[in-house]
């Protein structure tokens, strides 16, 4: 019952922007897009979430298309410590659980 | 602000033995979650508590798994008897629960890595 589609893996050069795509073509109007990441041997870490508008915080930017069927997480200046599995999750206003898919394994290379 | 604490970090047991995991959520967080993460997969929710009451335990294998959250703070997750397929990382998460669930951030602990031999 995955609601999102992400590429299984991607590489990124250190210091460059990393753009992580996510498709969520069946998203409904009251569902949020959440991004978490999981660094090896750690628990998932919240990055950012949004509903309609683009969002930015100290970690990343979230760009949601106007039709809301896809989004992109942008890490503006990737570092080696950003190497992790990144999960894109669609979550309804009344969904208490996070439904994780397989995510995208991002490897930042020096 | 201290994060979600879990112990032990690692546990190795033989099948048919029992094991217990402990979680201390972030102070003031009313909602507590236990997730199971099998190698190579994303975490899967096992049980959710709001204060000391169970909200959802539909994915908890109740013939062998049990969980409690006495006094609405700390929680323990127990497996008895363990099977080989229970080898996984058990993650605890908490959230404040002040409004719509969809707006709430869940904060995860480091997890307990269980190996059943």
């Amino acid at each position: 019952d995955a609601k999102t589609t992400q590429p299984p893996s991607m590489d990124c050069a250190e210091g460059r922007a990393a753009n992580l795509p996510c498709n969520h073509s069946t998203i409904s109007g009251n569902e949020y897009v959440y991004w978490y990441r999981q660094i090896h041997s750690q628990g998932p870490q919240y990055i950012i979430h949004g509903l309609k508008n683009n969002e930015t915080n100290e970690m990343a930017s979230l760009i949601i298309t106007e039709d809301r069927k896809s989004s992109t997480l942008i890490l503006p200046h990737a570092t080696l410590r950003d190497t992790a599995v990144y999960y894109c999750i669609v979550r309804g206003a009344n969904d208490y659980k996070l439904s994780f898919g397989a995510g995208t394994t991002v490897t930042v290379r020096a | 602000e201290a994060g979600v604490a879990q112990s032990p970090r690692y546990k190795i047991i033989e099948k048919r033995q029992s094991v217990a995991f402990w979680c201390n959520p972030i102070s003031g967080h009313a909602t507590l979650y236990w997730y199971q993460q099998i190698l190579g997969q994303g975490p899967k929710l096992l049980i959710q508590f709001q204060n000391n009451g169970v909200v959802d335990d539909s994915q908890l294998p109740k013939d062998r798994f049990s969980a409690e959250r006495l006094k609405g703070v700390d929680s323990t997750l127990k497996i008895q008897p363990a099977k080989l397929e229970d080898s996984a990382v058990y993650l605890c998460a908490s959230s404040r629960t002040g409004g719509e669930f969809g707006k709430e951030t869940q904060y995860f602990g480091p997890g307990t890595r269980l190996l059943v031999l």
Side-chain angles (χ1 to χ4, degrees):
Chain A
D1 62 343
K3 294 184 177 181
T4 64
T5 303
Q6 298 178 254
S9 64
M10 60 184 294
D11 286 358
C12 175
E14 187 178 24
R16 303 295 293 269
N19 297 302
L20 283 62
C22 180
N23 286 323
H24 30 79
S25 58
T26 61
I27 193 169
S28 60
N30 67 345
E31 290 183 317
Y32 293 83
V33 179
Y34 270 78
W35 284 85
Y36 276 75
R37 73 178 182 183
Q38 190 170 22
I39 296 169
H40 183 63
S41 295
Q42 296 183 22
Q45 177 189 22
Y46 167 79
I47 301 173
I48 199 168
H49 75 281
L51 183 62
K52 297 179 183 178
N53 300 321
N54 297 337
E55 302 287 345
T56 295
N57 63 18
E58 65 277 6
M59 289 183 68
S61 295
L62 174 60
I63 308 298
I64 303 174
T65 58
E66 193 168 342
D67 63 7
R68 302 186 70 238
K69 293 185 177 182
S70 65
S71 60
T72 301
L73 179 74
I74 301 172
L75 307 177
H77 305 287
T79 71
L80 299 179
R81 288 176 292 182
D82 292 322
T83 292
V85 179
Y86 287 76
Y87 297 99
C88 172
I89 300 166
V90 167
R91 186 184 187 200
N94 295 316
D95 285 344
Y96 46 81
K97 68 180 178 183
L98 294 169
S99 297
F100 291 84
T104 296
T105 299
V106 174
T107 303
V108 180
R109 302 191 186 280
Chain B
E1 175 178 78
V4 176
Q6 291 189 246
S7 68
R9 291 297 313 276
Y10 305 93
K11 191 74 177 179
I12 300 174
I13 62 173
E14 295 190 349
K15 59 183 179 183
R16 292 187 289 271
Q17 286 187 322
S18 62
V19 65
F21 313 127
W22 173 83
C23 172
N24 180 242
I26 293 172
S27 178
H29 281 194
T31 307
L32 184 147
Y33 311 78
W34 283 101
Y35 288 81
Q36 179 194 56
Q37 186 173 23
I38 293 172
L39 187 64
Q41 300 180 16
K44 182 188 77 173
L45 181 72
L46 290 175
I47 187 168
Q48 179 199 353
F49 293 94
Q50 174 125 356
N51 297 307
N52 60 351
V54 175
V55 174
D56 181 4
D57 64 357
S58 59
Q59 298 300 307
L60 189 73
K62 298 181 189 63
D63 57 334
R64 298 182 300 107
F65 286 63
S66 65
E68 60 182 9
R69 191 184 184 198
L70 300 177
K71 301 179 183 178
V73 181
D74 294 5
S75 177
T76 56
L77 177 69
K78 297 179 182 178
I79 307 175
Q80 182 180 11
K83 293 186 175 182
L84 298 178
E85 59 261 35
D86 297 332
S87 294
V89 176
Y90 291 86
L91 295 157
C92 181
S94 71
S95 64
R96 189 173 300 276
T97 311
E100 289 181 335
F101 283 113
K103 292 181 180 178
E104 288 195 356
T105 299
Q106 292 185 22
Y107 297 90
F108 285 79
T112 296
R113 190 175 300 271
L114 174 68
L115 179 60
V116 182
L117 302 176

